[in-house]
Amino acid sequence: MEMASARRTAATRARQSDDQIVVWGACVLLSALSLLLLVAVSSSGFGAARLTFAAGEISVLVRVGTSSSGGSAVDNVELCGADGDEYDRMLVDGEWVRDDARRPLYEPWQCPFVDEGFRCRENGRPDDAFAKWRWQPRHCSLPRFDAKHLLETLRNRRLVFVGDSIGRNQWESMLCMLATAVAGDDEASIYEESGSPITKHKGALSFRFRDYNCTVEHHRSPYLLRRGRPPRRAPRHVASTLQLDAIDSRARRWKDADVLVFNTGHWWSHERLQQLHCYFQEGKKLRLDMSIEAAYERAMGTLTDWVHREVSSYKTLVIFRTYSPAHTRASNSGGCASETLPELNSSRISLHRWPGMVTPAFEKSGTAAAATAGRLHVLNITLMAAQRRDGHPSVYNVAAAARTPAAQRADCSHWCLPGVPDAWNELLYALILRRFS
Ligand SMILES: *[C@@H]1O[C@H](CO)[C@@H](O)[C@H](O)[C@H]1NC(C)=O
Ligand SMILES: *[C@@H]1O[C@H](CO)[C@@H](O)[C@H](O)[C@H]1NC(C)=O
Ligand SMILES: *[C@@H]1O[C@H](CO)[C@@H](O)[C@H](O)[C@H]1NC(C)=O
């Protein structure tokens, strides 16, 4: 952690233009309530997801990598390569392969960028196999992750993650993966641009890799949409609204990114919306009885339209990383606690309990979506993540010393690092290389 604080103190230059300060002022006001609520509920495991699984419990078909090259025969298959949507689908059609020789990609105690909540081993998790699986596409092989090569590819560029705390989980994984290419003795070479520590997340954090002039950023926007005050004469219980036809008002901070990775999902639940006293709105009209599924569908249309209208397809690679399933009420064996192995047989997994999150929302949003074809890559990690209920922090989401049985709520939504999000980032790596090199 010495390294972390040195890196932080090295970065004290916070220079925001007046323009940004006005935007920030507005958004801080608007989201103050939700930030408070976020703090209040962040230990409660985001009880949003409603996935269940086929009745059968885990069947284990462990394939342990034997040789130092990883062991899987599929390794010899040629690198993934195909056109557009086909390529996106090819990447996520595959299986988890145990690979003790090449996993994990980084050691958590050498990476200062991981939230305490994701530091499972340091928080006392006894098993470590969850960090040793890699994703293997069925019909091709992934480029082997090379942090230096990715940094070179990102030179003079911005890699921006926008979404909820699962997106932040993925962003922290990416920072750790990239940091392995930076000499450990040069502590000022990666720093947060405004000097904020990684734990103080008020909207956005941007880490700069000095020698590559590139930034890897996370912008918090759990719905991706604009949230604001209800229209006049709205019922009193309506404290705020989600504007289904408008993108988050901070979007102009992201839109010039070179790689833009969206995610959403966990906040689209009755529980969360009720906590926020937040209701849907379209134009000036409140939509008090609109279903979450319909609203989500509408939101994806809004996002697609925005990408089409505002984002340059020449400059920016736009990716939507799909819903990351939580295993909160997944099984009568108690969610994700004490799971140590993935479900390797994907046909035993049923995604039906959360239809709104898994229907191909992007295809239904009409003409705009058609026009955007090829612009918005859908990185569909839903099924592969659903196979990994062993990957969540569970009760190892706080330091052992701070753990009290009474107050403890297991986290079956986020992921341990190193772990599952590293695999998403390897897919992202494949997409970035394909686009920029
Ligand atoms: C650093 O990257 C930014 C884009 O993110 C670019 O505008 C700027 O010119 C780069 N600076 C140098 C010195 O290359
Ligand atoms: C995977 O699960 C399905 C459904 O339970 C079953 O029919 C199939 O035989 C399983 N496959 C393997 C390889 O075990
Ligand atoms: C993602 O894949 C699952 C099956 O693996 C599918 O049911 C779902 O519709 C897909 N989601 C999107 C947004 O394409």
Side-chain angles (χ1 to χ4, degrees), residues 85 223-225 243-248 251 254 260 262 264 268 295-313 318-320 359-378:
D85 294 352
Y223 292 104
L224 306 176
L225 299 181
Q243 190 84 45
L244 296 177
D245 49 5
I247 199 84
D248 190 314
W254 334 317
L260 194 47
F262 290 109
T264 186
W268 294 85
Y296 185 76
E297 192 82 39
R298 182 82 175 84
M300 293 305 105
T302 300
L303 178 67
T304 322
D305 291 347
W306 177 80
V307 168
H308 178 52
R309 224 179 32 246
E310 301 282 339
V311 180
S312 158
S313 60
V318 191
I319 293 157
F320 184 85
T359 48
F362 297 94
E363 281 155 35
K364 285 195 207 151
S365 56
T367 52
T372 317
R375 287 201 187 175
L376 186 80
H377 293 264
V378 178

Side-chain angles (χ1 to χ4, degrees), residues 56-99:
E57 289 302 311
I58 302 180
S59 80
V60 183
L61 311 160
V62 184
R63 288 180 40 182
V64 180
T66 44
S67 75
S68 59
S69 70
S72 170
V74 199
D75 259 9
N76 303 325
V77 173
E78 59 185 283
L79 278 186
C80 297
D83 290 332
D85 294 352
E86 207 45 56
Y87 183 68
D88 301 345
R89 273 193 283 272
M90 220 170 165
L91 292 179
V92 299
D93 173 20
E95 61 183 349
W96 289 103
V97 176
R98 174 112 179 219
D99 188 345

